[in-house]
Amino acid sequence: MRNTYLVCYDITDDKRREQVFKICKNHGEHLQFSVFECDLNSTELTGLQRELAAAISLSDDQVLFVSLGPAEGRGDRVIAALGKPYTKLDAPCYVV
């Protein structure tokens, strides 16, 4: 069974932050600077956690995994925003 997770990170070093970004990009959808939405089964979650643990400083950095529950049967994803409206980061660019 797949669950959806918000993966959020606070990395103190630019090089490690870039590495964490690349790892997360391989496992989910980039929502906001250091926030990803990942649909993972338990094996994939463990693999992602191992990759991230190897990439971060366990004493200086933090990665949070917020379980949003089962990926299937949840209905459409609804994201509400305060301030600037939420827009998908990889949305096409329009020039007017």
Side-chain angles (χ1 to χ4, degrees):
M1 179 166 86
R2 301 181 83 70
N3 282 312
T4 301
Y5 297 88
L6 283 183
V7 180
C8 313
Y9 55 84
D10 186 8
I11 309 298
T12 59
D13 177 78
D14 291 341
K15 186 177 178 183
R16 288 195 310 267
R17 188 180 318 108
E18 199 172 295
Q19 189 176 9
V20 166
F21 176 86
K22 288 177 183 177
I23 292 169
C24 290
K25 186 88 170 149
N26 288 334
H27 293 275
E29 184 177 343
H30 187 208
L31 297 181
Q32 195 178 46
F33 292 111
S34 60
V35 180
F36 284 79
E37 178 183 31
C38 304
D39 288 344
L40 307 167
N41 63 34
S42 60
T43 303
E44 293 166 334
L45 175 62
T46 301
L48 174 57
Q49 289 171 332
R50 282 188 186 140
E51 283 184 69
L52 291 169
I56 69 171
S57 167
L58 297 175
S59 61
D60 296 326
D61 302 330
Q62 182 182 59
V63 180
L64 300 176
F65 296 84
V66 180
S67 177
L68 300 178
E72 293 183 21
R74 211 178 46 236
D76 291 336
R77 178 178 71 179
V78 177
I79 298 177
L82 294 174
K84 290 182 178 182
Y86 169 77
T87 55
K88 196 171 179 181
L89 288 179
D90 57 5
C93 231
Y94 298 102
V95 178
V96 180

